[in-house]
Amino acid sequence: MDILVCIKQVPDTKDIKLDPETNTLKREGVESIVNPFDMYAVETALMLKDEWGGTVRAVTMGPPQAEQALREVVSYGVDEVALFSDRAFAGADTWATAYTLAKGIRKLGDFDLIICGKQAVDGDTAQVGPGLAQQLDLPFITFVRRIVKIELDSRTMVVERLMDDGYDVVETSLPALLTVVKEINELRVPSLKGKMKAKKIDIPIYSAADLEVDPDSVGLTGSYTQVIEVFAPKPRGNRIILEGETEEQVEKLLNGLTKDKVLSVKID
Amino acid sequence: MDYFLTEEQKMIQDLARQVAEEKVLPLRAELDENEEFSREIIKHFADADLLGLGIPEEYGGMGMGVFEQILATEQVARVCCGTAVTFGSGGLGAMPIIYYGSKEQKQKYLPDVASGKKLTAFALTESTAGSDASGIQTTAVRDGDEYVLNGTKQWITNAAEAEIYCVVAITDRSKGPRGSSIFVVEKGDSGFEFGKKEKKMGIRTSTTGELIFNDCRIPADRLISREGMGFIIAMKALDLSRPGVGILGVGLSQGAMEVAIEFAQTRIQFGRPIIAQQAVQHILADMATNIEAGRALIYAITKYIDSGAKNISKVSAMAKLFPTDMAMQITTNAVQILGGHGYMREYPVEKMMRDSKILQIFEGTNQIQRNVIGQELNKQFSSRKNKG
Ligand SMILES: Cc1cc2nc3c(=O)[nH]c(=O)nc-3n(C[C@H](O)[C@H](O)[C@H](O)COP(=O)(O)OP(=O)(O)OC[C@H]3O[C@@H](n4cnc5c(N)ncnc54)[C@H](O)[C@@H]3O)c2cc1C
């Protein structure tokens, strides 16, 4: 089975901060990681490869330093990687990103399966996976939590899709695109040989010209949506949690409300 | 401290730390409580290529030195000493084969050890032979194309879990220590059984048990090197593996100190964190200083060993002695800093204190290490030429 995984480099959300003056993300000093949901996509691909053989490739669209994310997944066992990188790609929204990824993936060849994480933890849109499937004209299933079976002869697969109140069992033809949730598996650890390979591997970089994209469809120009403003929600006021017996709590509440002049009369 | 590790060495260190934190840490309390050995954890280390660090590349390993192996073991011990014992004891069990095995023996056993498919054990100790290894009673008698083993080995790490056992047995009692030999016995060999599994104070995530040889028949080609080499090989294997015990003390102490510092920064008594008390700071300062000293000692000695040094008994004894005595003190003090919390199983330091005691006992007690160092000093200073 030849599988392609789409990954994104994101700031480590554990230490993300907003600049209080400009209200933009502080990027300096923030470590970059592979989007955590994408790691489950990588693991899914590697497990399928362990079972069925074939290759696992990973791609990302991003700035030159996004190659670090690709090296990371090589250390886990991904065979080959490619970086789609060009100044023209900057500022892409989910549509322009999906378009660019689709152009790149077509260049790389045919795949039995494309796997993405359910969403990226920085943008949180969950749109690129489905958008990419549309661009590639592939069936897609989102929020996959289990792969039930694969039949390579009839080129079909059955998966479970996580829903709010249970799960759906869905069959699709192959090739297809899946987005996966973290319930699908437990990540493996990288290997020493993988890490050594990751350090050395040549990462091909594809520019806008290489991918023969329509210049009006990529980056900020090609984006249907634009970010007008990023702001931090106003901090909430002080909160007090009342403790004790119900009567005690009511007493405290009344006292507080009277003291803060929300209530003007004391009720006996 | 920066020890100027190569990029490859840093990779090994980082990877071992990652596996320990992701795969061992979440399970350690439960495994300790249930006295459970986890083959699954070992598989993660194997998948990470860390089990075969010391095995030559031609036999599926990474062909690294003792230094690289202790770098990895340190990171495992920082999280769980018992798991690190299993991780490291694979090394001791495989050493007789790596250093003295025939090409056929290496080909037969080492690739499976490197891949984690098979675990190894090293069996010397018996009820009559602890510190005094010459007290062993297990015999191996040649019978045509076979050897027949009889006897019982006790307190063997990885007993029943390992597939490959390097067993020291007497082949010619009249020759004393020169009359012992070392054999590979495989799990499943006829007449080879496992006795009781020990219940231990610490390192409960490592298995310790009895091996019983009752007319156990093995092909003659399981003999490692030749007859009479038993003690020489065993002593060489122990010399090479003792720094690996010392590093358990460094990793374990590091883990205990980290818990103690975090606790001391957050525990408020008398209106401020207890780390604000100089008495507490001094304990932590001594811990940090000793750990760095122990680490530097082992790093230096293992690099010396990897340089091909011949007579390493003294330095390898030092590399075991200092860090393991230190670990007992540091883990006890870590419990002290946590006070009552430290005594509860909810916090990891009581386990660390229990785990550390074994380090002063196995692979030669620390009294025996002092004997070795003392005897070597005496030898060294008796020949005037060799002073220094
Ligand atoms: C958990 C565990 C795992 C083990 N794993 C293995 C294994 O995988 N393979 C294996 O072969 N063995 C193993 N052993 C055995 C271990 O190596 C021995 O316990 C150790 O060598 C000490 O022997 P002993 O316990 O019989 O103590 P003894 O020799 O009975 O010593 C008792 C005390 O007397 C002191 N003493 C004895 N002789 C002297 C002396 N000459 N000078 C000063 N003091 C002396 C000792 O230091 C000690 O304090 C293991 C033991 C344990 C507890």
Side-chain angles (χ1 to χ4, degrees), chain A residues 199-260:
Chain A
K199 210 187 93 192
K200 283 189 242 143
I201 195 170
D202 267 333
I203 298 185
I205 300 175
Y206 294 83
S207 66
D210 295 332
L211 297 185
E212 297 168 75
V213 293
D214 164 16
D216 289 336
S217 301
V218 297
L220 200 56
T221 330
S223 293
Y224 288 96
T225 55
Q226 276 172 29
V227 178
I228 310 290
E229 190 190 359
V230 177
F231 61 93
K234 281 216 178 66
R236 284 199 257 175
N238 273 346
R239 279 165 295 168
I240 301 166
I241 294 173
L242 300 175
E243 282 171 32
E245 296 291 314
T246 313
E247 294 197 348
E248 221 180 301
Q249 290 189 37
V250 170
E251 180 75 23
K252 284 183 194 162
L253 180 62
L254 267 180
N255 283 342
L257 290 175
T258 339
K259 194 170 130 255
D260 290 346

Side-chain angles (χ1 to χ4, degrees), chain B residues 256-292:
Chain B
M257 180 178 73
E258 287 174 20
V259 177
I261 294 174
E262 201 190 322
F263 183 88
Q265 285 177 331
T266 47
R267 172 68 172 168
I268 311 281
Q269 287 292 281
F270 301 100
R272 49 192 188 150
I274 59 166
I275 201 169
Q277 308 287 348
Q278 206 177 49
V280 173
Q281 277 180 25
H282 281 187
I283 299 177
L284 293 171
D286 284 343
M287 282 182 182
T289 308
N290 275 302
I291 291 170
E292 214 53 75

Side-chain angles (χ1 to χ4, degrees), chain B residues 202-224:
Chain B
I203 58 162
R204 295 182 177 184
T205 59
S206 156
T207 306
T208 315
E210 212 173 27
L211 314 182
I212 302 168
F213 304 99
N214 197 350
D215 281 333
C216 166
R217 286 189 167 268
I218 53 171
D221 64 8
R222 300 276 193 82
L223 172 69
I224 297 180

Side-chain angles (χ1 to χ4, degrees), chain B residues 298-338:
Chain B
I298 297 180
Y299 286 11
I301 287 175
T302 50
K303 282 184 178 178
Y304 172 63
I305 292 174
D306 287 338
S307 75
K310 283 277 163 320
N311 190 357
I312 58 167
S313 296
K314 183 180 77 178
V315 290
S316 109
M318 289 172 167
K320 193 228 165 193
L321 174 63
F322 178 80
T324 56
D325 276 352
M326 155 194 114
M328 195 65 245
Q329 193 189 22
I330 288 176
T331 52
T332 308
N333 283 341
V335 172
Q336 192 66 23
I337 286 180
L338 269 77

Side-chain angles (χ1 to χ4, degrees), chain A residues 39 43 72 75-76 186-200, chain B residues 7-8 11-12 14-15 18-19 22-23 44 47-50 53 60-62 64:
Chain A
M39 288 307 293
E43 179 64 39
E72 170 97 14
S75 75
Y76 281 79
E186 205 183 301
L187 302 187
R188 67 188 60 197
V189 288
S191 71
L192 192 53
K193 285 179 192 148
K195 275 170 112 67
M196 288 172 174
K197 178 177 170 189
K199 210 187 93 192
K200 283 189 242 143
Chain B
E7 210 166 334
E8 205 170 62
M11 242 179 224
I12 292 170
D14 288 349
L15 184 56
Q18 181 178 357
V19 182
E22 286 180 12
K23 303 296 181 190
H44 290 304
D47 289 346
D49 300 325
L50 290 172
L53 279 182
M62 301 301 295
M64 303 278 175

